[in-house]
Each structure stands twice: as C-alpha cells, then as structure tokens.
Amino acid sequence: MRYRTIGTDPATRREVSVLSLGAMLFGTATDEATSYAILDRYVEAGGTFIDTSDNYAFWQNGGQGGESEELLGRWRRSRGVGDEIVIATKLGARPLAPGTSYVDNPEGLSAKVIRESAERSRERLGMDRLHLLYAHIEDRTVPLEETVTAFAELVAEGTVGLLGASNHRAWRVERARVLAAAAGLPGYEVLQYHHSYLQRRFDLPSELDPDGDLGAVGPDLASYLRAEPQLTLVAYSPLIRGGYTRADRLGPAYDLPSTLGRLAALREVAAETGATVNQVVLAWLMGGDVPAIPLVGASSVAQLDESLAAVDLELTAEQRDRLDQSR
C-alpha cells in the first residue's frame, strides 16, 4: 500500500492509503458477513481510509439511512479498530422522514443539524472523534456563515478532525473557505466528487442539480484544484458502476465523441501492462496532474482485490500522455 497526507494542520491532518474503501451498501445490499470480509481484507492490505455517510443507504429500504455507519461501528468494536483506520462520514443529505429523500426533504446544514447529526454519527460509529466530516450536499436555505461556524465549533471541541465538502459548486467551496480563513476557523480541506477517466457531459439535469453541473469534477473544479494543491480530491464512483466493462451502464452522461477513443486507449494500455481496464483507470486517477484518492466500492473480496492491485500499477509517461490525448 502507498499513503499520502490529507489536511495541513498538524493537530488534525492524517496519513491515509491512496485507495479509499466505500461502505455505502454495507449493512443493506451487502450483508454483514460479506461486509466484514471486505473490510478485513482492505485493512490486511494496508488500507486505512473508509468512507460512509449518515444517509447510507436509505434508498435500499425506504428508510433514512444509518445502516452503513452502524455496521462499521459493529465491525470496529469486533476487531478492536481504533484511530489507526481513518473513517470519513457525511451529513446534510439524510432524509428527515422515511419514504422521502435528500431531493425533497434533506436534513440540511443548519447549526442544529450539524451538531445533532454529527453526534448521532459518532454514536453509530462508536467514535469519540470523527476523523473527517463532509458537508454532503449544498444547503442554500442556511447562511453559509452558519454552516462554516457550526463545523468549526465541532473541530474546536475535538469531536471532529478534518472537514470536507461533497457535491458543492467550486465557488461555494471557495466562499466557505474564505469565510473560515477570515474568521480564523478551520475550513474544508478534502473535496469528494465523482471523477473518472472518461469525459462526461455537464448539460444534463440530475437529482442534485437541474442545471447538470453539480456533483462531478468539471473544468471549473479541476482548475480550482490545480490552483489549490493543498486540497485533497477523493473521487467517488471512479469505475462508473461497472461502466468500463459494461458499456451499457455508462448512460447518456458519457455519450460524447471522445468516449470510444478513450476506451480504446484504456484497452491498449491494459494489454501492455497486463492490468485490467479498471486498474488502469484507478492508476490514472492516483497519478494524475490533480492526484485523486479513488473511492472504490466492492460487493466481494475479489472485486476489492482487483482495485487493490492498481496501487502498484505504474503507468509510463508515454502511456499517460496517450491516455490524456485520446479523443
């Protein structure tokens, strides 16, 4: 395993593995025994960065979520896991009532919600301090100053370490960071967005954003990350839910002239290296000009092992250039 440091403050920064494990479906679609086996294998391989959320996975049973955090809490206790394994969770997108969702009825990012939801996450996870806490989605109904201050208070109290944001527009992230810096408060240092090798369209509406430009790394966010190298990018859905091996799963967001050429380049490099296409994608992300920490999901140990092998895959400069230039 390889590692990198996230965060800049010596009091909260952490060294984490360059590959993160997503626990979104643990405790719902992925049963407890399988979830434990995947988690055990990840730690055995040197993995130290696990991701969840307080709303995972509400859509599986029409509830409000929390099953993933609860399972991780049970696994931590059963294995004697402590702060050596960094747990990241999120708040803001938990449905306020069963049968609703973050689209029509999210908990939001008020000071009250941030404090109460963070406390519930700590209880489910069995942790005194959340290592990394994300604002999961934007909340335009609450002044940004209130959200920034509420997160900072948890850091000051020692119940939260690092702060992050997911699915926010780049200007909202920057505005929050400016407000925090001006007040001498900790701000967002880790950004979690959908990011992968294939280029995608940003003109299609989604649940999160009718304008279609929210939730994924586009030109604006990529430029922002290059200008702010102290920020860490965590890339969720890096393998596009199996889209690199099942083209029918790519969907209209990847209906671009560049798709066929980039898929062909991936297959060429995979053949040259003896790796799978998925492994080439993960290696490309980890070593890019904006190096990302891929956040991979797995429903079996075999799936996880494929992703873990990408950590040791070194792409040559020529291979990277060929992948980057493919159209």
Side-chain angles (χ1 to χ4, degrees), residues 1-3 16-22 26 35-51 75 85-87 293-296 298 301 304-305 307-308 311:
M1 184 57 70
R2 293 185 287 117
Y3 303 89
V16 298
S17 51
V18 295
L19 192 74
S20 180
L21 176 63
F26 291 178
S35 299
Y36 277 34
I38 293 168
L39 288 161
D40 290 344
R41 173 65 185 124
Y42 177 70
V43 172
E44 178 189 24
T48 63
F49 195 15
I50 298 172
D51 184 270
W75 172 76
I85 304 299
V86 174
I87 306 291
I293 298 176
L295 172 55
V296 296
V301 171
L304 175 62
D305 280 339
S307 295
L308 287 169
V311 172

Side-chain angles (χ1 to χ4, degrees), residues 117-196:
S117 293
E119 177 62 24
R120 285 192 290 267
S121 287
R122 289 200 302 118
E123 290 175 357
R124 285 190 287 263
L125 289 163
M127 299 173 66
D128 294 329
R129 179 166 82 160
L130 302 173
H131 302 133
L132 168 58
L133 181 62
Y134 292 98
H136 202 167
I137 59 174
E138 291 186 356
D139 183 358
R140 299 292 185 91
T141 69
V142 173
L144 199 49
E145 293 86 347
E146 179 179 338
T147 297
V148 167
T149 301
F151 275 120
E153 286 177 352
L154 298 183
V155 176
E157 293 167 7
T159 56
V160 171
L162 288 163
L163 299 174
S166 181
N167 304 312
H168 288 52
R169 286 180 175 81
W171 74 264
R172 292 276 293 180
V173 173
E174 174 62 7
R175 179 60 178 159
R177 293 180 65 233
V178 167
L179 288 169
L185 301 174
Y188 300 142
E189 296 190 83
V190 185
L191 306 184
Q192 186 180 130
Y193 290 78
H194 170 55
H195 187 41
S196 190

Side-chain angles (χ1 to χ4, degrees), residues 19-325:
L19 192 74
S20 180
L21 176 63
M24 182 169 68
L25 297 179
F26 291 178
T28 51
T30 305
D31 65 53
E32 188 145 330
T34 304
S35 299
Y36 277 34
I38 293 168
L39 288 161
D40 290 344
R41 173 65 185 124
Y42 177 70
V43 172
E44 178 189 24
T48 63
F49 195 15
I50 298 172
D51 184 270
T52 186
S53 174
D54 72 347
N55 73 338
Y56 290 165
F58 74 87
W59 56 92
Q60 290 292 320
N61 54 20
Q64 294 173 273
E67 293 88 351
S68 173
E69 289 183 331
E70 289 169 353
L71 183 139
L72 286 174
R74 293 192 297 273
W75 172 76
R76 291 181 74 254
R77 288 188 292 272
S78 72
R79 303 303 193 256
V81 170
D83 288 338
E84 71 277 9
I85 304 299
V86 174
I87 306 291
T89 193
K90 314 174 195 75
L91 58 78
R94 181 180 171 90
L96 286 174
T100 61
S101 79
Y102 59 79
V103 177
D104 59 349
N105 197 29
E107 62 183 353
L109 296 172
S110 68
K112 181 175 184 294
V113 163
I114 289 169
R115 178 166 294 278
E116 293 178 353
S117 293
E119 177 62 24
R120 285 192 290 267
S121 287
R122 289 200 302 118
E123 290 175 357
R124 285 190 287 263
L125 289 163
M127 299 173 66
D128 294 329
R129 179 166 82 160
L130 302 173
H131 302 133
L132 168 58
L133 181 62
Y134 292 98
H136 202 167
I137 59 174
E138 291 186 356
D139 183 358
R140 299 292 185 91
T141 69
V142 173
L144 199 49
E145 293 86 347
E146 179 179 338
T147 297
V148 167
T149 301
F151 275 120
E153 286 177 352
L154 298 183
V155 176
E157 293 167 7
T159 56
V160 171
L162 288 163
L163 299 174
S166 181
N167 304 312
H168 288 52
R169 286 180 175 81
W171 74 264
R172 292 276 293 180
V173 173
E174 174 62 7
R175 179 60 178 159
R177 293 180 65 233
V178 167
L179 288 169
L185 301 174
Y188 300 142
E189 296 190 83
V190 185
L191 306 184
Q192 186 180 130
Y193 290 78
H194 170 55
H195 187 41
S196 190
Y197 170 66
L198 284 183
Q199 297 168 333
R200 59 169 288 149
R201 295 174 59 180
F202 288 91
D203 60 339
L204 299 175
S206 69
E207 284 187 336
L208 278 174
D209 180 29
D211 297 326
D213 63 349
L214 185 62
V217 175
D220 284 350
L221 186 58
S223 177
Y224 180 60
L225 287 163
R226 292 188 188 97
E228 301 290 340
Q230 74 275 24
L231 296 175
T232 299
L233 172 63
V234 174
Y236 71 74
S237 297
L239 301 178
I240 319 178
R241 299 180 182 180
Y244 288 103
T245 55
R246 288 275 307 273
D248 59 300
R249 294 186 178 182
L250 290 176
Y254 298 93
D255 184 13
L256 287 170
S258 64
T259 297
L260 290 178
R262 289 175 83 82
L263 287 174
L266 274 178
R267 288 191 289 268
E268 287 178 6
V269 173
E272 292 168 6
T273 59
T276 67
V277 167
N278 285 342
Q279 289 166 348
V280 174
V281 170
L282 296 176
W284 180 84
L285 285 165
M286 287 185 276
D289 63 335
V290 178
I293 298 176
L295 172 55
V296 296
S299 58
S300 69
V301 171
Q303 283 186 350
L304 175 62
D305 280 339
E306 180 186 8
S307 295
L308 287 169
V311 172
D312 296 322
L313 176 60
E314 294 288 345
L315 302 177
T316 67
E318 185 278 329
Q319 288 168 337
R320 283 193 172 279
D321 185 63
R322 198 184 335 154
L323 291 167
D324 291 340
Q325 297 303 318

